[in-house]
Amino acid sequence: MSTAPDSAVRAFVADAREAFLADLEEWLRIPSVSADPAHAGDVRRSAEWLAEKLAATGFPTVEVWDTPGHPAVFADWPAGDPDAPVVLVYGHHDVQPADRTDGWHTGPFAPVRRDGRLYARGAADDKGQVFLHTLGVRAHLAATGRTAPAVRLKLLIEGEEESGSPHFPALLEDHAEQLACDAVLVSDTGMWAADTPTVCTGMRGLTDCQIDLFGPDQDIHSGSFGGAVPNPATEAARLAAGLHDADRRVAIPGFYDGVAELTEEERALFAELPFDEQEWLRTAHSRATLGERDHTTLERVWARPTAEVNGISGGYQGPGGKTIVPARAQLKLSFRTVAGQDAEKIQQAVREWVARSLPAGIRHEITFWGATRPCLTPLGHPALRSVVRSMERAFGTRVRYTREGGSGPAADLQDVLGAPVLFLGISVPSDGWHAPNEKVELELLTKGVEAAAHLWADLAAHWRPREDAREA
């Protein structure tokens, strides 16, 4: 299968650009803030607006899916070729809260174009990166002369991502048959920089907990009883101090079981990025780096599992002194996981470590708040290669590789649908996700449209998962 000439894609996108941006601005005017119950009607209006535009784009099946919270939008466009890859594009149409008084130069829901940028809440996160696929598929069809995409193209655009996706796993389970695919393409991420386009290959997982420690039945006099009974605040501090060894590795037995270690190729690719550690420290509002020995800063935040003390409390917190042995203390911990780790095993290892570490006379309770799985796509996966080639055609330069240190619903998609997760995002750090004056670079948005237009034919030409399955 031949791919479309770059010039044909670029010409179509240039001709349609103004109408595309006008539509995007109309969508950005809808304040689809999922965290605020007062905007529930706006989140629904946003879903219905998108559904209407997807139908107008040409998707023969478009549905608004209700959840116990806010609605998601599903669309499906068959390729006509039963052996063509099936790709599900994921994004979200809800946005973070925003108000002019937060420091916005203009109204957050009154889109403004200025100096080659489009300013509005959701411009980058994530309406702009979702909407680029409407023009991308149109450019793909126009440049190739097709009447349907070269792949079976599905979209799932949720309405609760900015509220933690509380109903997303259930939505995936309930609609797993309709969502079945060979690959998931997430367009809710970014690039290293405008002059250094990158593709993300994975995200870390997350599990976190609260440990409550109980000692005496009430606060007691430290002069009469201190040094002779266990102190829960002291034991909380001992747990926190024992979380890492001298090399800053997590000291919980079994924590590293199954970890997918970085290959030398991956370490070399990370090292190629123009990383300025001092600038990174400024963004971290910190003065020095510190972490697991024998790993670089990027390796630590992208590809290594971690344990963090998120909070520690106990005993008297008021002014002056109060000489007591407190009755209780509390520790909050979070664990970022990487490919190969199992959250349930991590949780069990933590429970056993805490039980072994505490002395008699200290009762404890541990509460875990669920888990988000890590996801990782191997560098050699044919679908990932297609994403890289398509971005290189759009940007006209070499595309490098990154990972994300945070966690998100991509792992739920991988887990429930059993498909590799790919990332195609064009946002850059200066876009200010969740911050005042969020924006998207219009040139990069156009490049994202072109990359999406190239991707569908490239996937169909270089990856035949249906045939691979039959041969297996």
Side-chain angles (χ1 to χ4, degrees):
M1 178 179 296
S2 61
T3 57
D6 293 6
S7 58
V9 168
R10 191 162 293 122
F12 184 89
V13 172
D15 288 344
R17 180 177 182 272
E18 187 57 37
F20 164 77
L21 291 177
D23 280 344
L24 175 57
E25 289 170 349
E26 182 178 308
W27 194 20
L28 292 170
R29 291 188 183 95
I30 302 175
S32 50
V33 181
S34 59
D36 187 348
H39 285 290
D42 294 317
V43 182
R44 176 163 293 278
R45 187 157 59 97
S46 171
E48 293 171 348
W49 186 96
L50 177 59
E52 181 179 328
K53 290 299 178 182
L54 292 175
T57 298
F59 284 86
T61 298
V62 181
E63 299 171 356
V64 175
W65 287 351
D66 286 324
T67 76
H70 298 297
V73 179
F74 171 74
D76 186 3
W77 197 337
D81 177 359
D83 289 327
V86 181
V87 182
L88 175 71
V89 173
Y90 165 84
H92 62 92
H93 67 93
D94 65 318
V95 300
Q96 281 280 310
D99 189 89
R100 182 69 181 270
T101 60
D102 296 336
W104 285 79
H105 298 154
T106 55
F109 299 104
V112 172
R113 291 187 227 176
R114 186 172 62 249
D115 300 326
R117 298 161 178 161
L118 175 59
Y119 291 86
R121 175 60 88 221
D125 182 23
D126 182 37
K127 289 180 177 177
Q129 299 200 89
V130 166
F131 202 56
L132 69 82
H133 287 286
T134 63
L135 182 52
V137 70
R138 289 170 52 210
H140 162 66
L141 297 177
T144 59
R146 299 179 58 90
T147 57
V151 301
R152 182 169 184 174
L153 184 58
K154 301 180 181 182
L155 271 67
L156 177 61
I157 314 301
E158 73 158 313
E160 297 185 313
E161 194 274 345
E162 299 293 9
S163 298
S165 303
H167 304 105
F168 192 60
L171 184 74
L172 295 178
E173 296 283 0
D174 292 344
H175 296 278
E177 185 174 344
Q178 286 170 279
L179 296 171
C181 60
D182 300 305
V184 176
L185 184 74
V186 174
S187 282
D188 182 25
T189 187
M191 305 190 306
W192 182 267
D195 60 354
T196 308
T198 54
V199 168
C200 177
T201 62
M203 301 181 75
R204 293 193 293 188
L206 170 68
T207 186
D208 53 351
C209 68
Q210 176 176 306
I211 306 172
D212 291 291
L213 305 178
F214 307 91
D217 292 337
Q218 64 179 39
D219 292 353
I220 56 177
H221 194 291
S222 65
S224 300
F225 304 104
V229 297
N231 183 320
T234 299
E235 296 310 318
R238 288 171 62 88
L239 284 175
L243 197 57
H244 299 89
D245 65 18
D247 292 329
R248 303 290 171 171
R249 283 174 61 86
V250 179
I252 298 172
F255 183 80
Y256 291 93
D257 290 354
V259 165
E261 300 288 346
L262 279 164
T263 66
E264 289 305 311
E265 180 186 11
E266 288 170 317
R267 299 188 78 172
L269 289 169
F270 287 178
E272 288 181 357
L273 292 166
F275 178 60
D276 184 332
E277 192 162 270
Q278 292 306 309
E279 178 62 27
W280 182 87
L281 279 170
R282 283 189 286 273
T283 66
H285 303 281
S286 301
R287 295 164 185 80
T289 60
L290 182 67
E292 188 179 1
R293 183 177 293 181
D294 299 326
H295 287 281
T296 67
T297 298
L298 289 182
E299 291 170 359
R300 291 168 182 163
V301 298
W302 284 351
R304 298 300 296 166
T306 61
E308 293 295 335
V309 177
N310 306 130
I312 183 168
S313 61
Y316 181 65
Q317 304 293 322
K322 186 178 183 182
T323 53
I324 60 168
V325 175
R328 62 184 299 168
Q330 186 181 89
L331 193 62
K332 292 181 183 286
L333 305 177
S334 64
F335 304 90
R336 297 285 175 172
T337 58
V338 299
Q341 288 182 297
D342 183 289
E344 291 185 0
K345 291 182 179 179
I346 295 294
Q347 292 175 5
Q348 184 59 32
V350 172
R351 293 182 190 278
E352 294 173 358
W353 170 72
V354 171
R356 286 194 304 269
S357 301
L358 294 176
I362 294 290
R363 182 174 64 87
H364 73 280
E365 297 175 357
I366 301 181
T367 303
F368 280 93
W369 297 296
T372 299
R373 296 179 183 273
C375 63
L376 179 65
T377 300
L379 294 181
H381 195 286
L384 177 60
R385 295 293 191 191
S386 285
V387 173
V388 172
R389 279 193 298 268
S390 299
M391 288 192 67
E392 288 180 339
R393 291 176 67 184
F395 283 86
T397 189
R398 181 187 173 197
V399 169
R400 292 176 168 83
Y401 297 88
T402 64
R403 294 193 197 177
E404 291 282 347
S407 308
D412 290 325
L413 290 157
Q414 184 182 61
D415 189 41
V416 175
L417 303 180
V421 174
L422 314 166
F423 296 85
L424 195 164
I426 50 78
S427 184
V428 289
S430 63
D431 285 346
W433 291 25
H434 299 195
N437 304 304
E438 178 185 345
K439 54 84 175 172
V440 68
E441 300 283 341
L442 294 179
E443 181 180 358
L444 298 184
L445 188 62
T446 300
K447 296 297 186 186
V449 171
E450 293 178 14
H454 294 310
L455 178 57
W456 312 131
D458 193 289
L459 277 168
H462 295 98
W463 188 37
R464 310 298 283 181
R466 304 276 81 70
E467 294 176 359
D468 293 345
R470 284 198 295 268
E471 290 175 2

